[in-house]
């Protein structure tokens, strides 16, 4: 497919467990973003990558959250010791280049439910 | 610091009537402004953007938006609403130094009645 792909689409886990969410961006897009959207809210910025490096991780809520993009393509968002408050839809987006004018293309999200 | 406000949680309009969804923003430096739409259980879709040039920008599905620098607004408009336009709309500015992130508003639910 030509769009941003996110897996899994749904994840149910228990409090305290470890979770990984994967994002496969549009081929050739150098910038990749993670957002979190809670029910009734707008997307909340978490982190963005230019290539392999995290250019801005100011939105990560605490040190339980970590993201990597080792080869500058696929990215994984990792959440340790999950809490019920982590339940949300996690959105990934990519954009071509790193300029300010480019629009973001979003995947359909990974819905995380922490019981 | 960047911020954005969408003052209306919901906008109701009859099919065929014009619609406006309001957005005001605060960024340092030149603003780059975006509108996205989210249909139920779907990802966010890009509608249009203002970067520079004409204050009236046109986008997908017949939508347009007017950039007003003095009022720091970027309202979304459409001359004639369709039932299929019913969705959640987000305004998202980008700007303020080196950061490349979009900051999203809380969203406005557009409900178009037949």
């Amino acid at each position: 497919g030509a769009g941003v792909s996110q897996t899994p689409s749904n994840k149910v886990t228990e409090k305290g467990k470890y979770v990984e969410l994967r994002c496969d961006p549009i081929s050739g897009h150098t910038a990749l973003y993670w957002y979190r959207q809670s029910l009734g809210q707008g997307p909340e910025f978490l982190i963005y990558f230019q290539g392999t490096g995290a250019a801005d991780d100011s939105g990560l809520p605490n040190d339980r959250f970590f993201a990597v993009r080792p080869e500058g393509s696929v990215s994984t968002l990792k959440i340790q010791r999950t809490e019920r408050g982590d339940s949300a839809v996690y959105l990934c987006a990519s954009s071509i280049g790193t300029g300010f004018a480019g629009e973001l293309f979003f995947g359909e999200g990974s819905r995380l439910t922490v019981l | 610091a960047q911020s954005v406000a969408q003052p209306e949680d919901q906008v109701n309009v009859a099919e065929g009537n014009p619609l406006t969804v309001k957005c005001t923003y605060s960024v340092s430096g030149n603003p780059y402004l975006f509108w996205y739409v989210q249909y139920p259980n779907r990802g966010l879709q890009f509608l249009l953007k203002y970067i520079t040039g004409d204050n009236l920008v046109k986008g997908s599905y017949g939508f347009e938006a007017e950039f007003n620098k003095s009022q720091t607004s970027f309202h979304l408009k459409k001359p004639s609403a369709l039932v299929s336009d019913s969705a959640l709309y987000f305004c998202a500015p980008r700007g303020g130094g080196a950061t490349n992130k979009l900051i999203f508003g809380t969203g406005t639910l557009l409900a178009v009645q037949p």
Side-chain angles (χ1 to χ4, degrees):
Chain A
V4 176
S5 176
Q6 292 188 246
T7 55
S9 54
N10 278 286
K11 176 70 177 179
V12 180
T13 192
E14 293 179 344
K15 181 175 178 293
K17 299 291 188 182
Y18 170 80
V19 165
E20 288 190 353
L21 306 175
R22 174 188 166 107
C23 174
D24 199 342
I26 294 171
S27 178
H29 280 196
T30 57
L32 184 146
Y33 305 76
W34 284 99
Y35 284 80
R36 176 170 71 174
Q37 187 174 22
S38 301
L39 193 63
Q41 302 294 317
E44 173 193 16
F45 171 78
L46 296 177
I47 185 171
Y48 108 85
F49 291 87
Q50 290 182 7
T52 60
D56 184 346
D57 64 357
S58 62
L60 294 177
N62 52 58
D63 61 5
R64 295 187 297 105
F65 288 75
F66 191 70
V68 296
R69 195 185 185 201
E71 299 178 356
S73 179
V74 171
S75 176
T76 304
L77 179 66
K78 308 181 180 193
I79 310 173
Q80 298 177 324
R81 304 183 304 280
T82 52
E83 299 178 356
R84 292 192 180 89
D86 299 336
S87 296
V89 176
Y90 289 81
L91 299 170
C92 178
S94 67
S95 68
I96 190 165
T98 55
F100 282 56
E103 60 267 30
L104 274 57
F105 295 85
F106 282 84
E108 298 206 352
S110 292
R111 181 177 299 276
L112 175 65
T113 303
V114 182
L115 301 177
Chain B
Q2 297 166 238
S3 67
V4 56
Q6 292 182 243
E8 303 151 318
D9 290 337
Q10 183 163 336
V11 169
N12 298 302
V13 64
E15 187 174 33
N17 283 0
L19 69 88
T20 298
V21 181
K22 295 179 181 177
C23 171
T24 58
Y25 65 89
S26 175
V27 301
S28 55
N30 292 324
Y32 298 82
L33 303 164
F34 298 76
W35 275 101
Y36 281 79
V37 59
Q38 189 172 39
Y39 297 100
N41 300 314
R42 300 297 303 277
L44 289 155
Q45 295 179 30
F46 167 75
L47 267 184
L48 51 77
K49 64 183 177 183
Y50 171 82
I51 303 301
T52 187
D54 287 343
N55 290 342
L56 186 66
V57 295
K58 295 186 184 296
S60 306
Y61 312 120
F63 283 91
E64 56 193 27
E66 186 168 13
F67 169 64
N68 187 315
K69 186 174 183 178
S70 63
Q71 296 185 5
T72 63
S73 67
F74 189 55
H75 300 331
L76 182 70
K77 302 181 179 185
K78 187 173 182 181
S80 178
L82 300 173
V83 172
S84 58
D85 293 331
S86 298
L88 192 55
Y89 290 81
F90 291 98
C91 180
R94 173 193 266 159
T99 184
N100 204 8
K101 63 190 179 192
L102 288 181
I103 299 297
F104 285 84
T106 50
T108 299
L109 183 64
L110 174 66
V112 182
Q113 286 90 32

